Amino acid sequence: MAIQVSAFPWVPPFAQGYVRDLRVRWALEEAGMAYEEALVSPETKVSDSYRRWQPFRQVPAYRDDEVEMFESGAIVLYIAEKSEALAPKNPAGRAKVSAWTIAALNSIEPHAANYVTTPVFYPGEPWVDGYQAATWPRLEERLSSLSDVLRDHDWLVEDRFTAADIIMVAVLRELVDSGVLARFPVLDAYRQRGEARPAFSRALQAQLKTFRDHSPENA
């Protein structure tokens, strides 16, 4: 069986380039592993068969000859087990890759999401400004700590690109439009290094092509 990655055929423009199958596509591109899209239509999304693959009916989900799994961080770490392009061979290095991947998902992303998605999903609500003000100190603290780590390093683990950087850069990208990342030039430079990688460009273009091909304008 060819590797399959589930993806939405189309999402609104504000989400294009940010849907989390991009993380898995990027990892596969870095590893040089070919894959196929398994597009999840609205009908597929609510089907029992897809729910067995992805219990929360989200994307991405992943399958190959050996495994069937979900959650972008878990999938990227699984791909890293198969490719030295995404993790060093030594146990200490692999442990750090796992730690930083989970840190991106647990220590950074929830605080970033609280801050940037609230005005998107609750536009005009009178409580949004106060909520953002309340969530900002913790986000600032986490980003400052991450900036300190990266101040003298290009990447998170052993000064080489790894799966952890895929997840961390993906999380930081979500802070660009709000202007938050511009306050942390070390992190913004790190994000730009990640986005400059050819594998990222290939992954992004593949996702965007799917959205273009299935745009409602083409229906």
Side-chain angles (χ1 to χ4, degrees), residues 204-216:
L204 178 62
Q205 291 309 310
Q207 186 186 76
L208 295 179
K209 181 180 185 302
T210 297
F211 296 149
R212 288 195 301 271
D213 289 348
H214 294 84
S215 170

Side-chain angles (χ1 to χ4, degrees), residues 44-101:
T44 302
K45 183 179 178 181
V46 299
S47 68
D48 289 340
S49 61
Y50 190 65
R51 189 171 187 177
R52 286 192 294 270
W53 189 12
Q54 218 300 352
F56 305 105
R57 298 172 175 170
Q58 300 170 313
V59 300
Y62 171 102
R63 59 163 63 111
D64 59 23
D65 288 328
E66 299 177 303
V67 305
E68 190 170 281
M69 59 191 302
F70 59 98
E71 290 295 335
S72 62
I75 297 167
V76 169
L77 285 174
Y78 172 74
I79 297 167
E81 292 176 6
K82 296 178 171 294
S83 174
E84 195 176 349
L86 292 174
K89 285 186 175 180
N90 64 83
R94 286 186 173 273
K96 288 181 179 179
V97 169
S98 295
W100 276 111
T101 299

